[in-house]
Amino acid sequence: MKDALNWLERLGRKAAAGVAEFGFAATLFGQAVYWLVLGRWRRQPVRMPSVAAQAMDIGIAALPIITVLSTTIGLMLAIQGIYTLKTFGAESRVTLGVALSIVREFSPLITGILVAGRSGSALAARLGTMRINQEIDALSVMGINPVRFLVAPPLMAMMILMPLLTLWADLVGLFAAGLYIAIELQGSLAAYADEVVSILKLNDLLHGLAKAAIFGVLVTIVGVVNGASVSGGAEGVGRMTTRSVVHAISAIVITDMIFVFLVTR
Amino acid sequence: MSNAPPSIEVINLDTHYGDRQVLKNVSLSVNPGEIFVIMGGSGSGKTTLLNHLLGLLRPTSGTIRILGKDINTLSSLEMQDLRTRMGVAFQSGALFSSMSVGDNIALPLREHTDLDEMTIGIVTRLKLEVVSLAGFEHLMPAELSGGMIKRAAFARAIVMDPKLLFCDEPSAGLDPVVASSIDDLILRLRDAMGMSIVVVTHDLDSTFKIADRICVLDKGEVLALDTVDAIRNSPNERIQNLLNRRTEEAEVDPDAYLRRLLGEKEKHANQPTQGRTGL
Ligand SMILES: Nc1ncnc2c1ncn2[C@@H]1O[C@H](COP(=O)(O)OP(=O)(O)O)[C@@H](O)[C@H]1O
Ligand SMILES: [Mg+2]
């Protein structure tokens, strides 16, 4: 009985902490957007060179790995698609499934997970280190708002870069799948391209890109929240960095499901 | 000098971490152009007091006026303005590790002024000259020694020509020669730029060398606030203990001490006894 009560109490405390963390995340997002929109009026504009530097870091550096993985996923979907459809002799319809899954699901998802692992964790580590070195206090006492200086630039960079990276992943994935399908079913790449264009509606493309932008926000905010909550030295930074990757990927997958549920029903 | 309004005025400041009261009814004032040392043992609340003066923490009750402005009633824009008129050298330096020393020092200028890069470069090098770090602006903070980091932190703190400078433990972690040179730097800054300087430290030698007035904190209370000579000659036993580096809770019971060392075993030995009294 006492154990059960203890357990309940611990659960309650965890839940309260979770709600508090969620509130912190929402506040941070609100403040970052505030500074992006009204920073100039408050004499603290969000600096574009800083956004560009973040964008280079998030985007350009991630291009090679995103290219490799989208190629792999395109091939994988084509192989699986043909294998599955063969069982009822419908392998000629493979393009439909492949094109929709890449554009609506796989591209945003794989891009989100990659960016969470590369940039979200880096953001958490950077903020965590800055926190334990008192660098965040140093910004505050200089009259430089830390959210404006540290959170708004990566947030803006992510919201722009994630859809662009996803678009690239779409193209690469569709191309790789097309190559396999054209060879395997003895069609031409041009015929495949025509089919893709006739299948995909703008809505499908936007569905994926909108999710990518949302994932960008999630990755940034989760990274910042975990970085800002670091305590306990370098070890704490490591712990929160790991936590930020796990949380960001979970948030991406769950949000994806909710988004799909709300939008496609 | 005594007619001028004080640079800092703290009235009846009470603060808590959670339920625990850390500062108790602290009142003090810092005059323009004076070096004011907040001294006290470890855990006496020095850093907490400093963080309140910097507006990083909100007090439970009490008033803090910095350069005549009550910092708890200021709008955030006014607070931002006030902060450009004060500088802080943190204990660890808190230099931004992703920026060179020069960029660190130039940051407040880039963020708060419309100066062109050429002027910013000149001001930056001038301030590095003041702290004897000329020619180091291209190094990264990781490439500096402990004393150099403190100097660079001072350069960044004074780059906007503040009226008020705060330093947390300027000599902590430095060897005596370097520590002494930092003390000289603080004296030089006050003489050259006429700013008020608040120094938080537990270093007695440094305190007596630089202070005009000393505030002795003890367990969150102001034990004494007076000139260097008055503090040195104070009849108060607690102050003398602090000055002579005597610990207050001297160990008197060797048995208790031994028992504490054997803590693990003692607990086990006690358990049956506790069980019996419980029943
Ligand atoms: N963030 C905090 N949360 C809770 N208690 C704290 C915190 N910071 C300091 N304290 C406590 O407040 C007291 C004063 O600490 P501090 O101001 O750091 O003293 P000092 O700088 O003089 O060593 C100490 O007992 C310390 O344990
Ligand atoms: Mg301290």
Side-chain angles (χ1 to χ4, degrees):
Chain A
M1 183 62 207
K2 197 160 176 218
D3 272 356
L5 272 181
N6 267 339
W7 184 82
L8 264 182
E9 189 191 328
R10 237 179 307 140
L11 188 74
R13 208 171 290 152
K14 274 237 165 93
V19 169
E21 196 164 15
F22 197 83
F24 179 39
T27 315
L28 261 178
F29 178 66
Q31 287 180 346
V33 171
Y34 171 90
W35 287 108
L36 281 170
V37 177
L38 293 177
R40 188 159 298 280
W41 172 74
R42 289 283 307 273
R43 277 186 281 128
Q44 289 204 39
V46 175
R47 312 266 173 203
M48 284 310 131
S50 171
V51 176
Q54 295 280 341
M56 286 297 281
D57 215 35
I58 296 163
I60 312 305
L63 265 184
I65 183 74
I66 286 184
T67 307
V68 171
L69 287 195
S70 324
T71 308
T72 318
I73 289 204
L75 290 175
M76 183 261 289
L77 284 175
I79 297 169
Q80 293 280 32
I82 291 177
Y83 173 82
T84 315
L85 292 172
K86 230 176 208 156
T87 51
F88 33 96
E91 60 262 43
S92 58
R93 305 291 296 139
V94 67
T95 309
L96 176 73
V98 167
L100 286 180
S101 353
I102 288 181
V103 170
R104 291 177 69 97
E105 273 311 323
F106 281 94
S107 285
L109 206 55
I110 202 69
T111 309
I113 290 174
L114 265 174
V115 170
R118 285 187 77 258
S119 310
S121 60
L123 198 60
R126 191 158 75 95
L127 257 87
T129 313
M130 292 189 76
R131 162 149 218 105
I132 59 178
N133 288 344
Q134 285 184 299
E135 289 171 41
I136 295 188
D137 285 345
L139 279 176
S140 299
V141 300
M142 274 179 201
I144 298 175
N145 185 289
V147 175
R148 190 269 296 181
F149 195 75
L150 296 174
V151 184
L155 184 72
M156 183 163 176
M158 285 274 196
M159 288 199 299
I160 297 171
L161 259 288
M162 273 293 296
L164 289 180
L165 287 174
T166 302
L167 197 59
W168 174 249
D170 286 345
L171 293 175
V172 173
L174 287 173
F175 178 72
L179 274 185
Y180 185 86
I181 291 170
I183 294 170
E184 189 70 17
L185 303 184
Q186 277 124 34
S188 75
L189 208 52
Y192 167 80
D194 281 346
E195 204 183 345
V196 168
V197 171
S198 70
I199 289 168
L200 286 183
K201 295 192 202 63
L202 184 63
N203 189 24
D204 296 317
L205 204 62
L206 290 182
H207 178 97
L209 299 188
K211 282 202 295 201
I214 296 174
F215 295 167
V217 172
L218 288 177
V219 168
T220 314
I221 297 300
V222 168
V224 171
V225 165
N226 281 291
S229 318
V230 162
S231 60
E235 207 178 304
V237 175
R239 203 168 40 236
M240 290 317 250
T241 306
T242 312
R243 192 171 178 264
S244 90
V245 176
V246 175
H247 281 196
I249 293 179
S250 313
I252 285 175
V253 173
I254 293 169
T255 309
D256 193 351
M257 189 273 288
I258 296 174
F259 186 91
V260 171
F261 178 76
L262 291 179
V263 172
T264 54
R265 222 158 37 108
Chain B
M1 202 162 88
S2 52
N3 311 344
S7 300
I8 300 179
E9 219 177 347
V10 177
I11 306 162
N12 301 335
L13 181 69
D14 283 313
T15 73
H16 294 78
Y17 282 120
D19 291 336
R20 199 156 62 87
Q21 183 156 15
V22 178
L23 295 179
K24 293 161 199 152
N25 201 26
V26 170
S27 296
L28 55 86
S29 71
V30 177
N31 299 321
E34 117 176 302
I35 298 183
F36 186 90
V37 175
I38 299 170
M39 201 181 75
S42 180
S44 54
K46 305 184 294 291
T47 302
T48 306
L49 176 54
L50 182 70
N51 284 340
H52 277 95
L53 296 181
L54 298 177
L56 292 173
L57 296 173
R58 290 249 155 194
T60 314
S61 65
T63 309
I64 300 172
R65 262 187 224 113
I66 306 281
L67 302 173
K69 303 244 169 69
D70 182 342
I71 61 170
N72 289 309
T73 61
L74 286 185
S75 74
S76 53
L77 206 56
E78 290 170 311
M79 192 67 195
Q80 186 178 317
D81 270 340
L82 182 62
R83 280 180 159 151
T84 62
R85 291 191 285 147
M86 53 199 240
V88 188
F90 282 94
Q91 179 166 354
S92 61
L95 298 177
F96 303 115
S97 50
S98 56
M99 298 180 194
S100 70
V101 171
D103 286 339
N104 259 285
I105 295 165
L107 183 66
L109 296 173
R110 294 205 172 111
E111 290 292 334
H112 293 309
T113 70
D114 297 324
L115 299 176
D116 57 281
E117 274 304 308
M118 170 110 158
T119 318
I120 288 179
I122 292 172
V123 176
T124 303
R125 281 186 286 278
L126 255 170
K127 299 299 173 182
L128 278 169
E129 204 82 50
V130 171
V131 300
S132 323
L133 273 185
F136 286 97
E137 69 256 40
H138 297 301
L139 291 190
M140 298 303 281
E143 299 168 314
L144 301 183
S145 72
M148 288 157 82
I149 287 177
K150 298 252 161 143
R151 286 173 186 282
F154 271 101
R156 189 177 67 183
I158 61 170
V159 74
M160 298 281 289
D161 292 324
K163 294 269 163 303
L164 191 52
L165 177 65
F166 296 89
C167 340
D168 193 7
E169 305 273 2
S171 51
L174 301 179
D175 66 71
V177 178
V178 179
S180 167
S181 75
I182 297 282
D183 291 340
D184 291 333
L185 173 62
I186 292 173
L187 287 168
R188 199 140 42 81
L189 285 179
R190 191 267 307 266
D191 295 340
M193 308 174 77
M195 51 180 98
S196 319
I197 305 185
V198 175
V199 181
V200 165
T201 185
H202 65 266
D203 183 334
L204 288 170
D205 300 328
S206 157
T207 302
F208 289 134
K209 180 166 163 189
I210 60 178
D212 292 318
R213 285 192 307 146
I214 301 175
C215 168
V216 183
L217 270 190
D218 185 44
K219 300 192 179 91
E221 285 175 279
V222 177
L223 192 57
L225 198 171
D226 219 326
T227 59
V228 177
D229 288 332
I231 295 278
R232 228 196 269 267
N233 301 324
S234 161
N236 185 315
E237 193 189 348
R238 302 255 290 281
I239 293 177
Q240 285 306 320
N241 280 342
L242 199 66
L243 297 190
N244 296 310
R245 300 177 168 92
R246 275 198 297 268
T247 48
E248 299 218 304
E249 296 102 337
E251 193 64 64
V252 283
D253 184 354
D255 283 344
Y257 177 63
L258 217 90
R259 253 182 280 128
R260 263 217 309 284
L261 285 182
L262 297 172
E264 246 338 272
K265 269 189 182 154
E266 183 189 32
K267 240 189 219 158
H268 284 301
N270 275 346
Q271 262 163 2
T273 327
Q274 276 169 353
R276 241 173 284 141
T277 49
L279 284 168

